[in-house]
Amino acid sequence: MTSAPISAPAARHPLRRLFRYARPYRRDAALASLYSVLNKVFDVLPEALIGVAVDIVVNQRDSFLARMGVAEPLHQLLLLTGITVLVWLCESTFEYLYALKWRRLAQDLQHELRLAAYSHLQALPPDFVTDARSGRLMAVLNEDVHQIERFLNTGANDLIQVTVSASLIGTVFFLLTADLAALAFLPIPLILVGAFWFQKKLAPRYAAAREAAAAVSDRLNNNLAGIATIKAYTAEAQEFERVRGVSDTYRARNAEAIRFAAAITPVIRMAVLAGFVATLLYGGWKALSGELGIGAYSALVFLTQRLLWPLTRLADMTDLYQRAMASVNRVMDLIDAPLPPLPSGSLPELVRGEVRFADVRLSYDARRVLHGVDLAIPAGHTVALVGPTGGGKSSLLRLLLGFVAPESGRVCVDGVDIAGLDPAHLRRHIGYVAQDPFLTDASIADNIAYGDAEPDRARIARAAELAQAAEFIAALPQGVDSPVGERGSRLSGGQRQRIAIARALYRDPAILVLDEATSAVDNETEAAIQSALRALTGERTTLIVAHRLSTVRHAHAIHVMEAGRIVESGSHDELVARGGTYAALWRLQMGEG
């Protein structure tokens, strides 16, 4: 069984996908856009006011303001000064407001995107994380979300303001002199066509760069988790070369994108120069011939620069936009990954713990791992699954926990097919201990009562005692409140295993599932744990996967699995007396052959 990749091509434009997701924030986005527009309106006005100032000095009583009713030149200057102060205050106010609104929107949206992606990820089957690679998912949840945040912080405002600036200045140009406006605007279509052409070329390159960044994250995540093994086998140089390899690939992918992005600015600068020179020469000629006022000419020269110069930032804007759109697709692909159907059924109020696998078949990637397995486990019995690696033992556990669904056949608890049960409801009745237990970076008490919103200290102490963990916990400076570190790094392997067993017992489940749960403890501790578990056998159904046969010899029934089939079943004494596969394994482990 495989999961859909998170990099499947999106059917919709990434910006549309983002807008659709951000629907609750549309009012905030509209306000931020309005503030950006108003800021740009007041930002452009000072250039026009420069033209008015020149007009006052040159024409005095024949100036534009004189025709508006302010005849005295000094009064005109005072009025212009007051308007200038007001314009600058408004420009500064709206700059503060748009910066505040866009940045707050960026923070809120990146927070929501990360939580939505993580929440959706938790609802997907466990195999999804394995298939997608944890490092790649980390890159989506961190780097890609941050890239979207950076675009909203600055890029969205830049795009709006360039558009508004071009519209405002274009209007002024055409009102003053249409032919000069045509010359000044001539480079803009070329700039836009060039920018969109570059954008089209950049999109796949930035997508490749994001994939390469995920590969770097995946490699580093893998190596940091296995740093002790790397050192033990003196493989530092080999792993360094592997990191160098993926980092070189990332650098090469980025360099390829940068080569295109870096070419945009010089091309745009040449187009800007052409428009500015046209305004300077043709506008100057019109002013000298009396067809254009000196004040208007001064304003147009400044406005041409304000119109065209921001377009040189299209390179940065395009770069930021393309990186953000690649990230939007990756984040939204994760959020849109299809969820398995979620049944709503529940077990009876009193769960006995009877388990049955009926003619169960299961495959991974077209490779059959279970071939029609039939297995009945009475309530309160302890049953062990043994046999060589790859025999299908852990697959049966995954089926019982609802992590995967059988291709055919049924898995039942107390006669109810778990296919119709709410997985969360089912798992509340199962205590699971993995071979490599996960501990969260919190206290021992938090880990034992994991998943309980209101931990019971008495139950924590009882579970620790049953798991033979109470003695080492008492020796710690803070007892059960001692932090375990990242993934339990402050504890030994055996201590982590006992905390995991205590966590399963704290839940007081009807069914206890142990997947090599005592593999990391010493023989004395294992014997004590086995004794405690035997005392609980009558209270709960226990399903054990083990390679050390000594840990399961007291089980009610032992089933030997090979190549996805149960090949032998019986008690320890019966299987040894039979002289089959189990007997051979037992003799081997006892040193008899």
Side-chain angles (χ1 to χ4, degrees):
M1 299 178 67
T2 59
S3 304
I6 64 173
S7 57
R12 299 185 302 276
H13 190 277
L15 204 56
R16 179 175 291 183
R17 300 179 80 185
L18 183 62
F19 285 162
R20 182 181 177 186
Y21 177 82
R23 188 170 296 166
Y25 297 96
R26 285 184 177 179
R27 183 176 180 275
D28 292 331
L31 277 175
S33 301
L34 176 62
Y35 296 150
S36 295
V37 170
L38 291 173
N39 167 258
K40 183 49 63 177
V41 169
F42 289 105
D43 185 47
V44 167
L45 282 178
E47 274 71 19
L49 295 178
I50 291 173
V52 176
V54 172
D55 183 49
I56 291 171
V57 173
V58 173
N59 296 317
Q60 298 188 20
R61 291 182 178 275
D62 292 326
S63 68
F64 170 74
L65 286 182
R67 293 194 297 273
M68 297 294 293
V70 185
E72 185 63 38
L74 181 58
H75 293 166
Q76 295 176 34
L77 286 174
L78 289 173
L79 176 60
L80 182 63
T81 301
I83 294 172
T84 301
V85 170
L86 180 62
V87 165
W88 279 77
L89 285 174
C90 290
E91 190 272 337
S92 299
T93 300
F94 287 115
E95 181 175 5
Y96 168 76
L97 289 174
Y98 86 63
L100 187 67
K101 206 68 177 175
W102 278 119
R103 289 173 186 174
R104 184 176 294 170
L105 177 62
Q107 291 299 312
D108 290 345
L109 196 55
Q110 64 92 14
H111 174 72
E112 291 294 334
L113 281 170
R114 182 179 290 110
L115 291 183
Y118 178 73
S119 175
H120 192 82
L121 183 61
Q122 287 194 131
L124 289 164
D127 284 349
F128 186 92
V129 176
T130 304
D131 294 342
R133 296 182 302 159
S134 59
R136 187 162 186 264
L137 292 172
M138 285 293 293
V140 172
L141 293 171
N142 278 321
E143 296 174 30
D144 285 319
V145 171
H146 287 153
Q147 193 67 50
I148 297 169
E149 177 196 358
R150 284 191 286 271
F151 170 70
L152 291 174
N153 267 333
T154 58
N157 172 72
D158 287 345
L159 289 171
I160 290 171
Q161 293 206 329
V162 166
T163 304
V164 172
S165 177
S167 301
L168 287 174
I169 295 172
T171 302
V172 173
F173 262 78
F174 279 101
L175 288 175
L176 291 176
T177 168
D179 51 351
L180 182 57
L183 283 175
F185 273 73
L186 189 60
I188 292 181
L190 301 176
I191 292 171
L192 294 177
V193 169
F196 283 117
W197 182 84
F198 276 110
Q199 182 190 94
K200 186 177 179 181
K201 294 293 183 181
L202 276 171
R205 287 168 172 79
Y206 275 132
R210 298 305 308 140
E211 291 296 324
V216 173
S217 180
D218 195 52
R219 171 54 59 186
L220 291 173
N221 187 51
N222 179 77
N223 284 15
L224 289 175
I227 195 70
T229 302
I230 291 171
K231 285 181 172 293
Y233 283 86
T234 62
E236 291 93 339
Q238 182 181 357
E239 291 302 333
F240 177 81
E241 289 304 317
R242 287 181 175 177
V243 172
R244 184 207 294 275
V246 292
S247 186
D248 278 344
T249 300
Y250 176 50
R251 181 175 62 175
R253 297 288 179 270
N254 247 339
E256 190 175 352
I258 290 168
R259 276 196 297 272
F260 270 81
I264 301 176
T265 300
V267 172
I268 292 175
R269 281 177 181 269
M270 293 302 100
V272 168
L273 176 62
F276 186 74
V277 167
T279 303
L280 194 66
L281 290 176
Y282 185 63
W285 176 77
K286 292 192 73 171
L288 288 173
S289 64
E291 296 181 41
L292 184 65
I294 296 174
Y297 172 63
S298 302
L300 289 176
V301 170
F302 282 108
L303 287 172
T304 301
Q305 186 175 10
R306 291 302 301 270
L307 168 67
L308 298 176
W309 193 251
L311 295 178
T312 61
R313 293 167 56 199
L314 275 177
D316 293 333
M317 285 187 279
T318 302
D319 182 87
L320 184 60
Y321 174 81
Q322 283 300 340
R323 288 179 183 270
M325 292 306 100
S327 293
V328 166
N329 271 335
R330 285 161 57 86
V331 174
M332 298 311 299
D333 284 345
L334 175 55
I335 292 175
D336 292 340
L339 292 173
L342 189 64
S344 58
S346 59
L347 290 166
E349 186 173 345
L350 182 61
V351 178
R352 295 180 293 109
E354 176 189 313
V355 177
R356 177 170 178 79
F357 298 89
D359 194 25
V360 170
R361 288 174 170 80
L362 180 67
S363 297
Y364 293 122
D365 296 324
R367 178 178 61 87
R368 182 60 60 85
V369 294
L370 292 176
H371 302 265
V373 173
D374 279 295
L375 176 61
I377 305 173
H381 277 220
T382 297
V383 170
L385 301 175
V386 301
T389 300
K393 305 181 295 297
S394 293
S395 293
L396 281 180
L397 302 190
R398 290 168 61 78
L399 284 169
L400 177 59
L401 287 161
F403 291 161
V404 293
E407 291 176 19
S408 62
R410 302 167 69 224
V411 181
C412 300
V413 173
D414 287 354
V416 179
D417 190 342
I418 67 170
L421 297 177
D422 178 353
H425 173 80
L426 168 67
R427 292 164 193 159
R428 277 196 289 270
H429 297 285
I430 300 176
Y432 173 61
V433 184
Q435 182 176 2
D436 182 19
F438 164 77
L439 297 187
T440 189
D441 190 1
S443 69
I444 289 176
D446 291 332
N447 275 280
I448 292 177
Y450 192 60
D452 189 347
E454 298 179 0
D456 185 324
R457 302 287 285 197
R459 284 174 60 195
I460 291 172
R462 174 62 177 159
E465 185 179 340
L466 289 173
Q468 302 299 307
E471 184 176 347
F472 89 78
I473 292 174
L476 295 173
Q478 297 173 256
V480 292
D481 295 314
S482 300
V484 302
E486 185 179 3
R487 296 184 62 86
S489 59
R490 297 188 181 186
L491 304 178
S492 69
Q495 289 171 338
R496 289 196 297 270
Q497 203 96 33
R498 279 176 276 173
I499 295 299
I501 293 172
R503 177 168 59 196
L505 296 176
Y506 173 89
R507 178 171 283 192
D508 192 24
I511 302 168
L512 187 61
V513 175
L514 307 175
D515 190 357
E516 292 286 352
T518 58
S519 61
V521 300
D522 57 68
N523 291 333
E524 184 179 352
T525 302
E526 181 188 45
I529 293 173
Q530 293 297 333
S531 176
L533 291 176
R534 282 198 299 275
L536 297 170
T537 297
E539 302 174 24
R540 72 194 75 247
T541 304
T542 306
L543 182 58
I544 305 172
V545 168
H547 283 96
R548 282 195 293 182
L549 303 185
S550 59
T551 65
V552 298
R553 61 182 300 179
H554 298 292
H556 291 94
I558 301 171
H559 303 279
V560 183
M561 294 194 70
E562 287 184 354
R565 294 180 172 87
I566 295 176
V567 295
E568 286 184 339
S569 297
S571 67
H572 170 77
D573 292 336
E574 291 170 347
L575 292 173
V576 169
R578 194 174 300 169
T581 301
Y582 181 87
L585 291 172
W586 176 256
R587 288 196 301 272
L588 185 64
Q589 292 190 13
M590 292 298 102
E592 299 176 8

